[in-house]
């Protein structure tokens, strides 16, 4: 189930309130009063066997007594009655129910779901406050206030927060398109709501209050689809660390559930905020601020003190200020008084007339690289009315027919700036009461921009695997099987390093010897001094904690002494530990290297996760780490690094040159591939991974495996690039590659679209278009493979460059009942059979994905596509009210789909 019948939940024609009453302070009584007071235009039926009338209206004893099947039912009766009521409603044809009732047992809840399933009756709740759909005048809740109509949708797991939010929003005159309490979300969950609201024309931003997520892949797929359409802003409860103290690795201890939610929210292109006030500030900003956000900010103000305070706030909030360049300084010198600040903040002095504001703003607009995002702060004066300044600036900030300037404003004060503030709001300019709010908003915009960039990445699991290493990976899989067969879970250090080396991660050579000091000394002499000696024991995960690591041993006598002392320390602190021996490795000395940690663990909700941060023995104390969801490509790995404090050290400082970040990125990608390939991996630590300008090398590694196979690409919360769908076919005596599209295809896809003539585009998009915007092209290549597929046919040109010849795509509805398809080819490929090749590929894929029907629409004059799909088994239907368009549908569950077509049947394009 997904969005099926959710329209009946939020815009029903009739509603039954089961358990309605007139008893004061009761749930049924409050619900009945709210429904009647909401102005709902449809039919309302009270159901309660104890009453014959309620509020002068006939009351019905049971569902069976109702004069018609209600489209929506609201249930507020004891928990034991819910499942039988759902069964009766389903049999009568009701499509949705809000279950207010709390206290159901697991068995009662399952019985409720079982009763709803045959007819796809949708259930909101149980144990929820209900829902409000102000545009439909529907208040199916026991909230104490109605919701104003508006364009924000709010979905919450917390019932108490629902009523508190209504109170907060009413005081600020904030309206909603939907206001939804999920309760225990037994059926309708966040994924369903995101899918529904993503395409709702009344909703311009989606606000979520999340306590937990159950179906990670469904949630991530829906969130990524919604975040492409409109802002999605999240308050996630529970910032406290939830890591297990008993974890076998540093990664397991550091990987708190909240950090994983951070990673998931960022990867889905959503924005996380901490408070309810930030939730609305962000929603307002993300819908008003239309310009690209800069990584740096320029403060423009008429008050020196206000500018200094804003600069302090920016520093505290981590928003860097831009450094104005010589050209910008020179231009500002020409338009500002001699005593202007000549720096950032730009103080244009309190006596500034409107012209001075405009001149300064236009100077900043001509130097966007030097200014970034502009924060305009104004304090009222008696010299020039604030409203006059607003009237002069607004057309410059939002010039007609041109992109707006990246500006956020703060009109400080009350009545003196009220008109100016209103003028900016009417012009669509983001406006805040205080500079601190505005700076907070800039920081949120910067995070949102970074998250949107992560949303656009679609890496595949082959990233990070060295060429020609398939045999190495096979040996790793055999090693893992042997370890599990022996009853072990922890790999020895040499085994763990062998796993890393197989994936191209540089490791220091490590040798194993028996637990004999003389054997350790002899091996050290063969390696060459200085060396590192470590204890080798399946029972000791963190060797440093028991004195099981000694560094920089200079000769054989040092090694013997260290070995004897180490055996004594381990026997005293962990007498039960089984000591298999020692490991000896060369001492790696890099004076200017940073110690890092790269690891992986399994989150209960989101599956495999990857950790990066500052490493060493104090890793849990430093707590400088960040999480990411695999799979990772280079941009995503780089984004993960940037979320840590150690990233600044890796860029170099004073006499320390920048570290080899490419080596760190490659290691992160290798770990991503390892998690995809080896489902048995439960925890992994590479700590420390030392890195400097010469490269990176792993000094220690530990790996825990599990027969439960918790990793593997199948358990990734984000479906990776489906490389397994790539195939090569022979086409007109040359090889042709058929593969899923990927973000890296953007420039190639732009060239392909530019090769099409106006009629091609008209056939595809049903109207004439000269050129697609960059954002539209990006959307075509950045797809969520969980619900959309686009196959490109490519070949190699004479210069050895890959060239796109055609593309076919399909977008499935969230329930995978139907998928809308489109196809378009290069002009020179028309009539060559390429359309048939692409359609066959798509049909095979959608059938394997379980899609029931493939649907397309074409202009009636497009005879090529109509001929092709007819021979593939599609059935044509007229489109009601549109004589110029035909609908073509293929039942993918029949054997007719994809049957052989004549050579002439080819399609250049269909929309």
């Amino acid at each position: 189930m997904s969005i099926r019948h959710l329209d009946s939940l939020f815009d029903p024609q009739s509603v039954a309130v089961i358990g309605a009453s007139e008893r004061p302070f009761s749930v049924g009584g409050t619900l009945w009063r709210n429904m009647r007071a909401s102005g709902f235009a449809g039919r309302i039926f009270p159901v309660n066997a104890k009453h014959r009338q309620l509020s002068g209206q006939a009351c019905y004893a049971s569902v069976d007594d109702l004069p018609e099947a209600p489209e929506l039912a609201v249930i507020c009766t004891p928990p034991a009655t819910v499942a039988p009521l759902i069964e009766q409603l389903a049999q009568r044809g009701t499509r949705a129910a809000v279950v207010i009732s709390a206290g159901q047992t697991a068995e009662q809840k399952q019985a409720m779901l079982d009763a709803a399933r045959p007819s796809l009756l949708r259930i909101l709740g149980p144990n929820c406050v209900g829902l409000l759909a102000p545009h439909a005048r529907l208040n199916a809740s026991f909230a104490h206030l109605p919701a104003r109509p508006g364009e924000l949708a709010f979905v919450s797991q917390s019932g108490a927060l629902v009523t508190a939010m209504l109170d907060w929003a009413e005081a600020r005159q904030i309206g909603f398109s939907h206001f939804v309490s999920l309760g225990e979300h037994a059926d309708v969950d966040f994924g369903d709501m995101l899918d529904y609201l993503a395409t709702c024309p009344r909703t311009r931003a989606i606000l979520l209050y999340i306590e937990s997520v159950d179906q990670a892949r469904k949630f991530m797929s829906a969130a990524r689809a919604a975040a492409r359409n409109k802002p999605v802003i999240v308050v996630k409860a529970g910032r406290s660390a939830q890591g297990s103290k008993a974890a076998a690795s540093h990664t397991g201890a550091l990987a708190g559930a909240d950090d994983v939610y951070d990673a998931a929210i960022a990867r889905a292109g959503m924005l996380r905020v901490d408070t309810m006030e930030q939730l609305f500030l962000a929603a307002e900003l993300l819908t008003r601020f239309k310009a690209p956000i800069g990584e740096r900010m320029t403060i423009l103000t008429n008050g020196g003190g206000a500018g200094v305070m804003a600069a302090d706030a920016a520093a505290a909030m981590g928003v860097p200020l831009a450094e104005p360049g010589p050209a910008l300084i020179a231009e500002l010198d020409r338009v500002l008084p001699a005593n202007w600040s000549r720096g950032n903040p730009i103080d244009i002095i309190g006596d500034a007339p409107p012209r001075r504001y405009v001149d300064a703003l236009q100077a900043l607009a001509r130097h966007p690289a030097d200014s970034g995002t502009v924060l305009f702060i104004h304090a009222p004066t008696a010299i020039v009315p604030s409203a006059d300044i607003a009237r002069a600036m607004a057309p410059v900030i939002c010039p007609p027919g041109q992109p707006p300037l990246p500006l956020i404003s703060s009109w400080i004060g009350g009545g003196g700036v009220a008109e100016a503030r209103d003028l900016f709001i009417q012009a669509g300019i983001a406006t805040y009461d205080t500079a601190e709010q505005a700076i907070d908003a800039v920081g949120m915009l910067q995070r949102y921009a970074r998250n949107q960039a992560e949303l656009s990445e679609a890496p595949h699991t082959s990233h990070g695997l060295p060429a020609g290493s398939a045999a190495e990976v096979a040996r790793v899989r055999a090693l893992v099987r042997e370890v599990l067969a022996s009853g072990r879970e922890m790999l020895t250090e040499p085994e763990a390093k062998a796993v890393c080396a197989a994936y191209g991660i540089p490791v220091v050579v490590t040798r194993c010897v028996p637990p004999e000091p003389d054997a350790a000394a002899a091996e050290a002499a063969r390696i060459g001094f200085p060396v590192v000696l470590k204890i080798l024991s399946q029972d000791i995960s963190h060797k440093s904690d028991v004195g099981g690591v000694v560094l920089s041993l200079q000769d054989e006598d040092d090694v013997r002494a260290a070995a004897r002392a180490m055996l004594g320390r381990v026997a005293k602190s962990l007498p039960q530990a089984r000591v298999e021996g020692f490991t000896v490795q060369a001492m790696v000395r890099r004076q200017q290297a940073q110690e890092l940690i790269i690891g992986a663990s399994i989150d209960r909700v989101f599956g495999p996760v990857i950790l990066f941060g500052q490493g060493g023995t104090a890793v849990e104390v430093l707590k400088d780490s960040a999480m990411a969801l695999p799979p990772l490509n280079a941009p995503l790995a780089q984004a993960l690094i940037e979320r840590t404090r150690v990233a600044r050290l890796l860029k170099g400082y004073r006499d320390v040159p920048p570290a080899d970040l490419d080596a760190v990125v490659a290691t992160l990608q290798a770990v991503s591939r390892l998690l995809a390939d080896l489902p048995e991996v439960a925890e992994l630590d590479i700590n420390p991974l030392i890195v400097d300008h010469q490269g990176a090398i792993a000094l220690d590694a530990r790996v825990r495996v599990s027969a439960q196979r918790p990793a593997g690409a199948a358990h990734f919360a984000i479906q990776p690039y489906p490389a397994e769908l790539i195939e090569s076919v022979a086409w007109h005596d040359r090889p042709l590659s058929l593969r899923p599209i990927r973000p890296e295809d953007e420039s190639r896809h732009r060239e392909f679209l530019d090769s099409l003539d106006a009629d091609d585009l008209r056939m595809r998009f049903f109207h004439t278009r000269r050129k697609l915007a960059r954002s539209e092209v990006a959307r075509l290549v950045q797809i969520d493979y969980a619900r959309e597929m686009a196959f490109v046919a490519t070949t190699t040109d004479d210069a050895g460059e890959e060239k796109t010849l055609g593309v076919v795509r399909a977008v499935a509805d969230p329930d995978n009942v139907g998928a809308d398809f489109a196809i378009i080819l290069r002009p020179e490929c028309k009539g060559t059979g390429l359309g048939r090749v692409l359609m066959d590929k798509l049909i095979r894929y959608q059938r394997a994905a379980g899609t029931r029907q493939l649907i397309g629409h074409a202009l009636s004059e497009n005879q090529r596509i109509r001929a092709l799909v007819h021979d593939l088994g599609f059935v044509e239907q007229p489109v009601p009210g549109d004589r110029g368009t035909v609908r073509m549908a293929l039942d993918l569950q029949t054997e007719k789909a994809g049957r052989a077509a004549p050579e002439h049947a080819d399609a250049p394009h269909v929309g």
Side-chain angles (χ1 to χ4, degrees):
M1 292 184 181
S2 187
I3 64 170
R4 297 291 295 278
H5 295 169
L6 289 191
D7 52 343
S8 296
L9 190 63
F10 296 110
D11 193 16
Q13 299 300 305
S14 58
V15 180
V17 180
I18 303 176
S21 76
E22 292 179 325
R23 184 160 54 93
F25 311 115
S26 68
V27 173
T30 305
L31 263 161
W32 177 243
R33 286 192 299 274
N34 283 350
M35 276 297 306
R36 285 176 52 81
S38 65
F40 180 65
R43 297 170 298 284
I44 308 175
F45 305 113
V47 179
N48 190 325
K50 297 179 181 179
H51 302 279
R52 301 187 65 180
Q53 279 196 339
L54 280 178
S55 307
Q57 183 176 338
C59 185
Y60 301 90
S62 69
V63 169
D64 291 337
D65 293 333
L66 290 171
E68 63 180 80
E71 191 171 0
L72 171 66
V74 186
I75 300 174
C76 44
T77 57
T81 67
V82 173
L85 284 169
I86 292 292
E87 184 174 10
Q88 295 171 35
L89 290 164
Q91 290 174 352
R92 289 217 59 179
T94 298
R95 293 192 169 190
V98 180
V99 179
I100 306 294
S101 313
Q104 283 182 302
T105 65
E107 293 77 13
Q108 289 170 337
K109 194 183 302 182
Q110 188 58 52
M112 173 188 73
L113 294 173
D114 291 343
R117 186 168 292 110
S119 62
L120 294 180
L121 186 152
R122 303 311 306 275
I123 296 174
L124 180 67
N127 189 19
C128 68
V129 173
L131 70 92
L132 299 94
H135 293 288
R137 296 185 177 182
L138 175 67
N139 184 351
S141 78
F142 62 89
H144 67 301
L145 287 173
R148 292 172 177 264
E151 296 179 304
L152 301 180
F154 180 66
V155 183
S156 172
Q157 279 178 297
S158 166
L161 191 63
V162 166
T163 53
M165 177 64 75
L166 271 175
D167 209 58
W168 193 93
E170 177 61 24
R172 290 157 179 81
Q173 299 184 11
I174 294 171
F176 297 90
S177 64
H178 301 80
F179 209 98
V180 183
S181 168
L182 289 180
E184 297 179 27
H185 51 92
D187 174 23
V188 177
D189 60 13
F190 280 116
D192 300 328
M193 289 305 308
L194 284 165
D195 275 329
Y196 180 80
L197 295 170
T199 56
C200 173
R202 294 189 181 277
T203 302
R204 65 173 170 84
I206 303 170
L207 316 180
L208 306 178
Y209 174 81
I210 297 176
E211 292 177 352
S212 63
V213 170
D214 292 331
Q215 301 180 56
R217 182 169 280 194
K218 174 186 176 183
F219 171 78
M220 290 299 292
S221 178
R224 285 160 63 83
R228 293 186 192 278
N229 288 341
K230 58 192 66 173
V232 182
I233 303 146
V234 178
V235 172
K236 168 65 179 69
R239 281 284 189 185
S240 59
Q242 299 293 318
S244 170
K245 295 180 181 179
S249 67
H250 293 295
T251 299
L254 290 170
D258 192 66
D259 299 317
V260 180
Y261 272 99
D262 261 347
I265 290 166
R267 187 67 178 277
M270 302 185 291
L271 174 67
R272 182 174 184 178
V273 297
D274 294 325
T275 66
M276 291 297 105
E277 185 171 5
Q278 283 185 326
L279 194 69
F280 285 109
L281 290 177
E284 193 67 20
L285 179 65
L286 291 173
T287 52
R288 285 188 184 275
F289 192 89
K290 304 301 182 184
I293 183 68
E295 281 298 320
R296 296 184 180 275
M297 182 179 73
T298 293
I299 300 170
L300 177 66
T301 180
N302 70 334
V308 171
M309 291 183 66
D312 289 343
M317 297 181 191
V319 178
L321 296 186
E323 186 70 32
L328 176 57
I329 292 285
E331 187 163 348
L332 289 171
D333 278 340
R334 288 192 292 270
V335 298
L336 298 181
N339 61 336
W340 79 279
S341 60
R342 302 196 88 251
N344 187 4
I346 298 172
D347 179 7
I348 65 174
I349 314 303
D351 64 351
R355 185 70 244 174
R356 192 185 300 169
Y357 288 90
V358 170
D359 289 342
L361 196 58
Q362 289 176 335
L364 291 172
R366 283 190 287 269
H367 299 274
D370 282 353
S371 52
T373 301
V374 178
L375 170 58
F376 169 67
I377 306 173
H378 179 273
T381 71
I383 299 173
V384 181
S386 299
D388 291 350
I389 295 169
R391 289 189 189 94
M393 292 182 68
V396 179
I397 299 168
C398 299
Q402 298 181 41
L405 298 183
L407 182 141
I408 294 172
S409 66
S410 175
W411 296 88
I412 303 174
V417 295
E419 185 181 358
R421 188 182 293 126
D422 288 343
L423 287 168
F424 262 38
I425 291 172
Q426 291 167 19
I429 303 167
T431 302
Y432 293 93
D433 294 338
T434 69
E436 288 77 12
Q437 285 182 338
I439 293 166
D440 195 11
V442 171
M444 288 190 285
L445 266 181
Q446 291 174 342
R447 293 199 307 275
Y448 181 68
R450 289 191 289 268
N451 294 354
Q452 284 282 301
E454 291 194 29
L455 172 63
S456 71
E457 300 293 340
H460 51 85
T461 54
S462 62
H463 279 297
L465 181 63
S469 61
E472 287 291 320
V473 175
R475 280 194 284 273
V476 167
R477 288 174 172 155
L479 169 63
V480 170
R481 287 195 297 270
E482 291 173 8
V483 169
L484 289 172
S486 70
R488 286 193 289 136
E489 285 196 341
M490 291 299 302
L491 274 62
T492 64
E493 182 183 349
E495 289 170 340
K497 286 182 175 176
V499 171
C500 293
Y503 280 82
I505 301 171
V507 297
V508 62
V509 176
T510 302
R511 308 271 173 76
C512 299
V513 298
E516 301 166 2
D518 288 339
E523 189 60 45
R526 283 190 284 272
I527 291 174
F529 295 99
V531 297
V532 177
L533 185 72
K534 301 178 184 178
I535 201 73
L536 180 62
S537 171
Q538 300 174 31
D539 301 320
I540 302 174
S541 179
H542 300 298
K543 296 179 281 291
S544 297
D545 293 349
V546 295
V549 179
V550 181
L551 307 177
S552 197
L553 299 171
Q554 300 297 321
D555 54 36
E556 293 184 52
D557 289 340
D558 282 354
V559 174
R560 290 189 187 92
R564 284 192 288 268
M566 189 179 293
L567 290 171
R569 287 193 296 271
V570 170
K572 183 177 180 180
S573 58
L574 284 177
Q576 74 280 11
R578 296 162 294 178
V579 176
E580 288 90 34
F582 300 105
T583 62
V584 186
Q585 64 187 51
M587 179 74 188
V588 178
R589 285 178 170 167
R590 293 188 180 178
Q591 296 299 323
Q592 297 178 325
Q594 292 292 333
E595 289 189 336
L596 306 176
I597 180 172
I598 291 179
S601 63
I602 309 300
D603 182 71
R604 181 184 62 82
V605 176
F606 292 97
V609 294
I610 296 174
L611 176 138
F612 170 82
Q614 192 165 4
T617 55
V619 63
E620 282 103 348
V621 177
L622 295 171
K623 291 185 178 179
D624 176 24
S625 61
M627 310 291 295
L629 303 184
L632 298 182
N633 61 7
L636 289 171
Q638 184 67 50
L640 171 59
I641 295 169
E642 290 296 329
R643 290 201 291 270
T644 61
R645 297 189 300 275
V646 76
R648 296 194 290 273
L649 297 176
L650 296 176
K651 293 174 183 177
Y653 55 95
R654 293 190 178 180
D655 63 335
V656 178
D660 184 355
L661 281 179
D662 289 342
V664 182
V665 167
T667 303
L668 286 165
Q669 290 180 262
V671 170
S672 175
R673 175 58 192 262
L674 188 153
L675 287 171
D677 284 351
L678 304 177
E680 297 85 358
V681 173
E683 285 183 77
L684 178 146
D685 257 8
I686 301 172
N687 182 36
L689 176 80
I690 63 169
V691 60
D692 60 10
H693 64 284
Q694 300 175 8
I697 187 168
L699 301 189
D700 200 0
R702 58 173 60 87
V703 176
R704 183 172 71 85
V705 293
S706 169
Q708 301 301 314
R709 297 168 62 88
H715 290 111
F716 286 3
I718 297 175
Q719 183 169 322
Y721 179 82
E724 68 279 3
L725 296 176
I726 300 173
E727 64 175 308
S728 296
V729 298
W731 180 71
H732 292 277
D733 299 324
R734 58 173 166 166
L736 187 72
S737 174
L738 300 178
R739 61 168 176 80
I741 204 165
R742 53 179 180 245
E744 295 89 340
D745 288 321
E746 183 175 327
S747 61
R748 191 178 301 112
H749 207 63
R750 160 65 69 191
E751 186 276 330
F752 164 71
L753 292 171
D754 288 345
S755 75
L756 305 174
D757 58 38
D759 199 51
D760 290 332
L761 294 173
R762 184 176 66 86
M763 293 286 192
R764 169 63 177 85
F765 297 103
F766 287 22
H767 57 88
T768 302
R769 308 187 65 171
R770 290 190 175 183
K771 196 176 184 70
L772 268 69
R774 187 265 163 188
S775 59
E776 294 178 278
V777 178
R779 177 64 188 90
L780 292 173
V781 299
Q782 299 167 7
I783 65 174
D784 183 345
Y785 303 103
R787 60 180 61 209
E788 181 177 356
M789 180 53 67
F791 291 113
V792 291
T794 68
T795 189
T796 303
D797 62 20
D798 295 338
E801 296 292 329
E802 191 177 15
K803 180 180 180 180
T804 298
L805 302 181
V807 60
V808 64
R809 70 178 63 240
V811 181
D813 64 50
D815 302 295
N816 203 26
V817 173
D820 292 314
F821 79 92
I823 181 171
I824 194 164
L825 310 179
R826 280 184 182 269
E828 64 268 27
C829 294
K830 299 175 186 179
T832 62
L834 181 59
R836 173 68 176 81
V837 172
L838 282 167
M839 285 299 299
D840 179 67
K841 175 77 171 175
L842 182 68
I843 289 168
R844 285 185 283 125
Y845 169 77
Q846 295 295 160
R847 180 186 286 134
T851 309
R852 298 182 194 174
Q853 196 174 51
L854 199 57
I855 304 161
H857 291 80
L859 296 176
S860 301
E861 64 193 87
N862 194 342
Q863 294 301 322
R864 284 184 179 273
I865 184 61
R866 295 176 68 181
L868 171 61
V869 300
H870 176 269
D871 288 312
L872 288 170
F874 281 75
V875 176
E876 274 194 12
Q877 300 169 334
V879 177
D882 187 354
R883 294 184 179 180
T885 305
V886 294
R887 180 181 187 272
M888 304 161 294
L890 176 68
D891 183 354
L892 293 175
Q893 307 307 312
T894 70
E895 294 299 320
K896 295 179 183 179
R899 68 173 184 258
E903 186 65 26
H904 74 273
D906 187 38
H909 30 237
V910 57

